Amino acid sequence: MERLRSSPLHASISTALDKHLECIHGLQARRKEEIVSASSRQQHGPPRCQDERVVLALAAALRALCLATRKVRTALWSAFQMTLPK
């Protein structure tokens, strides 16, 4: 879009994209922790409290990703509107 406009976009657009990518990486890390926790639970028996913390961390990461997705969609829509010819 920057190439179409021949000028850089607003800094908040790239910030929103960076935050979205950061949230994706965070969610992937929490998911890996959940998988490790589930596999160790099968081997050693159910440590209930630890498992709940892992699931709550995963839910929090998913919520953060949802919020970041809304913001990045709005930012990209704004960038698209700025690129359209008048």
Side-chain angles (χ1 to χ4, degrees):
M1 285 188 244
E2 290 176 338
R3 290 183 194 155
L4 293 173
R5 287 188 67 208
S6 301
S7 65
L9 295 171
H10 195 269
S12 66
I13 295 171
S14 61
T15 303
L17 287 168
D18 291 340
K19 178 68 176 166
H20 187 253
L21 185 61
E22 179 184 319
C23 287
I24 289 171
H25 290 243
L27 182 64
Q28 287 174 339
R30 299 297 84 72
R31 179 66 176 131
K32 286 178 186 176
E33 290 173 6
E34 183 200 20
I35 290 170
V36 168
S37 175
S39 67
S40 68
R41 187 180 66 221
Q42 289 176 352
Q43 295 171 358
H44 302 294
R48 188 75 179 146
C49 186
Q50 182 86 12
D51 188 41
E52 288 177 0
R53 279 189 239 136
V54 171
V55 172
L56 289 176
L58 179 66
L62 184 59
R63 182 172 189 259
L65 179 62
C66 289
L67 294 173
T69 301
R70 286 183 198 152
K71 289 181 183 180
V72 81
R73 285 177 61 199
T74 302
L76 289 174
W77 181 83
S78 298
F80 175 67
Q81 293 299 317
M82 289 189 293
T83 7
L84 291 175
K86 294 180 180 183

